[in-house]
Amino acid sequence: MYTSFIKASVLLTGWMLVLGKPAVAQQQSRQLDDYISLAFGQNQGLKQQNFDLEKSLFALKEAKAMYLPTVSMLGSYTKSAGGRTINVPVGDLVNPIYSALNQLTSSSKYPQVANQSFLLNPDNFYDVKLRTSLPLINAEIRYNKLIKQQLISSQQATVNVYKRALVKDIKTAYYHYFQALQGVETYRSALLLIDENIRVNTSLLKNGVRNGTALLRAQTEQEKTNAALINAQRNVDNASAYFNFLLNRPLKESILIDSVAIANVLVVPDTTTGIGGREELKQLSSLKEANNLDYKLQRSNLIPKLSTYIDLGSQGMDFKVNDKTRYYLWGVNLQWDIFTGGKNKFRAAQAQSNIKSNTAKIDETEQSFKLQLAQSYNNYRAAKAACTSAISGLSFAGKYYRDQLKAYRAGQLLYLELIDAQDQLTIAKLRMADTQADLQITLAELERDQATYPLNN
């Protein structure tokens, strides 16, 4: 059992690291890609980012809609009494004429007319109209739409930043889970060796060849290894729960492991891509362009605003509607802010400050990303060296244990020395699992730092 496990571990990692050969890109894990795709559709944090992106898209549609005409129904009704009046001396104007006509005609056909008084406030008056307005020239609308477009680009970059961080977290959790499984398998393998030692020592004790000291020590090692196995199983459960949490699945959902895909790494990963694909830089560039547009927006007060409107309605007394009450009214509005107390000037100055700040932040971020990439590559080299050392150590520990076991069975070795060889084998297996996971994680970090994982948007 222990021999097959050693051979499998060495074989698995042996082709994984072919030192001194050219870099060869291995096929990406299909199972892991499926999990990542699942996370893209179910992760709650990513859903929140997508909601923010959806909000930005609606904001752009709102900005575009400002170019379209606005149609509104307006209406009012007025009931009044008292207040100011206007006096019209109708009687004073026509009564002398009517009196003269009555004398000439010797009749009373022309009655006397009283002076009239009219309320200035309309009484029982309604006005209902359909107003259509349309902007003809308005620089604010144009720049507002362009700014919204840049904010969409920025939010899309934010979504991709979250996706890349999620990819790295999923891969890291996946490798930690595999590492924990290897720990469980290592302790189970150790228990098989201990069980065999207990069987052998029990037989030797019955035959009077050995005393009970070796058996007691083997039983002690069995209890210690059982406790370590329980702790390793706890690590498996915790790693599994965290992985499922990232995928927004039930925490106890089973995880499929492709052990061959786990070993698909690059001998010498490609670092020529650099940081040019980082969405954070695209995000900052979009914000900088938005600030440029904001500066132009604040300077657009020099351009007059021109709009037109037309009213189609009816107005009159007592809610009467006829050809006398219907009307239309068309007009053009012009607004040109000649003096605003310097408000636009100061707003433009603020936008310029934001542009300078973003430029400095882009430079700082680029340097920071270059540093991260260099550190990640150094971490990869160290992890690769540690994994190579672990391969050799596992091979030596396996050979050493086999030699010690032969010597012990031949009565040429103390049991304590055999236990030491067994402990070294267990430690070598655990170190192999640790270094293998560390190597995979450093590759995931390199992939994240170069933004090379393909994202489907």
Side-chain angles (χ1 to χ4, degrees):
M1 179 68 184
Y2 70 89
T3 304
S4 60
F5 182 76
I6 293 172
K7 290 182 178 179
S9 300
V10 174
L11 180 62
L12 177 65
T13 318
W15 65 265
M16 183 182 72
L17 293 172
V18 186
L19 299 179
K21 292 188 178 181
V24 179
Q26 305 292 341
Q27 184 180 3
Q28 185 74 304
S29 168
R30 183 67 260 167
Q31 185 62 57
L32 186 52
D33 283 343
D34 290 342
Y35 280 135
I36 291 173
S37 298
L38 181 64
F40 283 173
Q42 295 187 170
N43 183 268
Q44 293 295 334
L46 185 56
K47 285 182 180 180
Q48 296 176 32
Q49 296 294 330
N50 284 324
F51 290 148
D52 290 339
L53 176 59
E54 184 180 40
K55 179 181 176 182
S56 299
L57 291 172
F58 285 131
L60 176 60
K61 292 182 178 180
E62 176 190 5
K64 290 181 177 180
M66 297 181 71
Y67 283 106
L68 302 177
T70 300
V71 181
S72 305
M73 175 68 76
L74 304 175
S76 65
Y77 172 76
T78 304
K79 178 68 178 175
S80 66
R84 295 180 299 163
T85 60
I86 180 171
N87 297 319
V88 181
V90 178
D92 294 342
L93 293 175
V94 301
N95 283 340
I97 299 173
Y98 282 179
S99 296
L101 290 174
N102 285 334
Q103 290 176 2
L104 290 174
T105 60
S106 300
S107 67
S108 59
K109 292 193 299 184
Y110 300 99
Q112 296 295 298
V113 179
N115 290 332
Q116 298 294 317
S117 179
F118 299 98
L119 286 171
L120 289 178
N121 295 328
D123 181 32
N124 197 25
F125 176 80
Y126 79 92
D127 183 8
V128 178
K129 57 189 174 184
L130 197 66
R131 167 165 290 185
T132 303
S133 57
L134 177 68
L136 300 177
I137 301 175
N138 193 325
E140 289 185 4
I141 295 178
R142 175 175 177 269
Y143 286 119
N144 182 56
K145 186 198 76 169
L146 295 176
I147 289 173
K148 291 296 190 296
Q149 288 177 336
Q150 292 301 323
L151 293 180
I152 285 180
S153 299
S154 175
Q155 186 58 40
Q156 179 64 71
T158 301
V159 171
N160 287 342
V161 168
Y162 191 92
K163 280 186 175 181
R164 296 203 180 279
L166 183 60
V167 169
K168 175 188 170 183
D169 290 343
I170 289 174
K171 288 189 172 184
T172 300
Y174 190 75
Y175 300 139
H176 279 157
Y177 176 70
F178 184 74
Q179 175 188 2
L181 287 179
Q182 287 181 304
V184 170
E185 181 61 30
T186 296
Y187 287 117
R188 286 176 178 171
S189 177
L191 280 175
L192 291 177
L193 298 179
I194 293 173
D195 290 341
E196 176 64 16
N197 290 335
I198 290 176
R199 186 190 67 80
V200 171
N201 285 315
T202 301
S203 176
L204 293 175
L205 179 62
K206 288 181 179 180
N207 294 326
V209 178
R210 297 278 176 87
N211 58 28
T213 303
L215 178 61
L216 290 175
R217 183 57 190 270
Q219 292 172 338
T220 301
E221 288 296 317
Q222 185 182 47
E223 293 299 325
K224 183 180 72 173
T225 306
N226 278 326
L229 177 60
I230 294 174
N231 186 62
Q233 187 60 54
R234 181 206 63 184
N235 294 336
V236 170
D237 295 338
N238 290 341
S240 173
Y242 179 64
F243 182 82
N244 286 318
F245 166 77
L246 293 175
L247 271 61
N248 193 28
R249 302 194 308 176
L251 298 183
K252 294 185 178 181
E253 187 86 9
S254 61
I255 302 173
L256 300 178
I257 289 293
D258 184 357
S259 59
V260 175
I262 286 291
N264 286 342
V265 299
L266 301 177
V267 179
V268 180
D270 181 19
T271 58
T272 59
T273 303
I275 61 171
R278 293 292 294 262
E279 283 80 9
E280 293 90 338
L281 297 177
K282 298 176 183 178
Q283 182 182 21
L284 291 174
S285 296
S286 296
L287 292 177
K288 180 181 177 181
E289 182 59 28
N291 286 325
N292 284 327
L293 293 170
D294 184 43
Y295 172 77
K296 295 178 181 179
L297 171 64
Q298 303 308 326
R299 301 293 297 174
S300 67
N301 67 308
L302 301 175
I303 303 174
K305 299 175 185 177
L306 185 65
S307 62
T308 184
Y309 69 93
I310 184 171
D311 290 344
L312 302 175
S314 176
Q315 58 180 215
M317 303 292 184
D318 300 325
F319 294 102
K320 293 179 180 179
V321 179
N322 50 49
D323 57 350
K324 299 292 185 181
T325 63
R326 290 190 289 269
Y327 72 94
Y328 83 90
L329 183 65
W330 173 82
V332 177
N333 292 326
L334 174 67
Q335 179 184 347
W336 196 352
D337 297 331
I338 299 175
F339 178 74
T340 60
K343 290 185 294 184
N344 295 91
K345 175 184 176 182
F346 297 137
R347 289 172 183 169
Q350 293 177 51
Q352 277 189 321
S353 297
N354 288 334
I355 293 172
K356 295 176 182 178
S357 176
N358 278 341
T359 301
K361 190 170 184 179
I362 290 174
D363 293 339
E364 179 188 15
T365 304
E366 286 180 345
Q367 293 299 320
S368 175
F369 287 164
K370 289 178 181 178
L371 175 62
Q372 287 180 8
L373 181 58
Q375 290 176 337
S376 295
Y377 184 68
N378 291 335
N379 292 339
Y380 161 76
R381 293 173 60 188
K384 180 179 177 181
C387 194
T388 304
S389 174
I391 295 172
S392 301
L394 180 58
S395 177
F396 295 150
K399 185 177 184 303
Y400 178 69
Y401 178 78
R402 291 194 300 273
D403 293 343
Q404 295 294 84
L405 181 60
K406 290 179 181 178
Y408 176 73
R409 288 177 176 176
Q412 301 173 356
L413 189 71
L414 295 176
Y415 185 64
L416 289 178
E417 295 177 284
L418 179 63
I419 290 177
D420 178 68
Q422 181 178 311
D423 288 342
Q424 289 186 36
L425 177 60
T426 300
I427 292 172
K429 292 177 182 178
L430 293 175
R431 181 168 176 259
M432 183 68 252
D434 293 344
T435 56
Q436 189 179 29
D438 289 343
L439 180 59
Q440 294 283 6
I441 291 171
T442 58
L443 287 170
E445 291 174 349
L446 275 173
E447 181 182 65
R448 170 68 187 93
D449 291 340
Q450 297 184 101
T452 54
Y453 188 86
L455 301 179
N456 298 320
N457 295 316

